[in-house]
Amino acid sequence: MKLNINKVNWPDAFPYCPETTVEITNNHEFLFLQYTVKGEQLRAATVDDQGPVWEDSCVEFFCQVPGDNHYMNFETNCVGAMVASRRLGRDKEVQPLPAEQIALIERKCTFPRQKIEEKDGLFEWTVELKIPLSLIFRDPKLTFPLTLRANFYKCADKTKRPHFVSWQPIYLPKPDFHCPEFFGEIVLS
């Protein structure tokens, strides 16, 4: 399935919306996400995992297994640096994935893993992720179809054109992606 990440949730303060899609596929072992972004500005100040990738040109996937109060966030900048954790909220019970688990997530990006000072212009780039389903679903015997509550995001907090867009709309007064109450549903089969 291919989704458009195009909900401008705070149009007065942050009206910019780069063209962003995510294509989702899976086999019974991995979830594959392929983001394609076309937009102005390109930035990658963070090259290390668990660094502030959301400040850069970044795409994000948050998901929650139905019936679980916790959710997971996978945030990746345009050069493949990633933040990944299991959490109850923005600052509640945050459990960053250990380096050996993050290493299980294959990442393929348009740009090499090196810093990019912010550039003006029109850029098109991709991020491909291959996430083991075992990191999301703790049950080792998965029965398909599987349902996930999720949202997908495109952001770049520290660029000249900061933006906070999503697949599903968010009804909050200021930017915040850590809100599972606004997740939609995706089905893996």
Side-chain angles (χ1 to χ4, degrees):
M1 93 184 73
K2 190 172 189 177
L3 305 174
N4 291 312
I5 303 171
N6 60 6
K7 302 294 185 287
V8 178
N9 299 290
W10 301 279
D12 293 338
F14 304 101
Y16 181 57
C17 183
E19 186 179 322
T20 308
T21 61
V22 62
E23 191 166 341
I24 308 159
T25 57
N26 69 281
N27 60 24
H28 288 200
E29 195 175 348
F30 296 97
L31 177 66
F32 303 94
L33 303 177
Q34 181 176 340
Y35 295 91
T36 301
V37 179
K38 294 178 190 172
E40 299 174 13
Q41 270 76 41
L42 186 69
R43 178 185 194 264
T46 302
V47 294
D48 297 320
D49 288 336
Q50 302 296 33
V53 297
W54 59 88
E55 295 176 352
D56 296 335
S57 301
C58 183
V59 289
E60 302 183 356
F61 167 56
F62 287 27
C63 65
Q64 183 178 46
V65 175
D68 190 348
N69 290 329
H70 291 80
Y71 63 93
M72 298 196 71
N73 60 299
F74 300 92
E75 308 174 24
T76 313
N77 70 7
C78 61
V79 298
M82 174 178 275
V83 166
S85 66
R86 180 175 159 75
R87 58 182 64 220
L88 194 56
R90 173 178 288 285
D91 300 313
K92 290 175 148 184
E93 295 184 31
V94 179
Q95 304 160 24
L97 290 187
E100 60 271 12
Q101 287 185 339
I102 289 182
L104 298 173
I105 302 168
E106 293 182 29
R107 295 164 260 180
K108 186 173 159 186
C109 303
T110 300
F111 304 107
R113 186 90 165 254
Q114 60 191 33
K115 288 188 178 193
I116 300 172
E117 295 299 323
E118 186 170 352
K119 298 178 183 183
D120 293 322
L122 188 59
F123 299 93
E124 183 171 347
W125 49 277
T126 61
V127 168
E128 296 177 27
L129 302 177
K130 181 180 175 185
I131 304 171
L133 288 173
S134 61
L135 292 179
I136 299 170
F137 295 92
R138 294 183 169 202
D139 183 351
K141 296 178 182 173
L142 301 177
T143 305
F144 288 80
L146 295 171
T147 301
L148 275 176
R149 293 181 31 69
N151 211 344
F152 297 89
Y153 311 104
K154 168 69 185 83
C155 64
D157 296 27
K158 297 269 176 130
T159 62
K160 290 178 188 170
R161 297 194 74 183
H163 51 275
F164 306 90
V165 296
S166 61
W167 166 55
Q168 292 292 304
I170 299 170
Y171 302 104
L172 294 173
K174 62 182 184 176
D176 189 353
F177 291 160
H178 291 270
C179 46
E181 63 271 27
F182 300 114
F183 288 2
E185 186 175 278
I186 59 173
V187 178
L188 310 178
S189 56

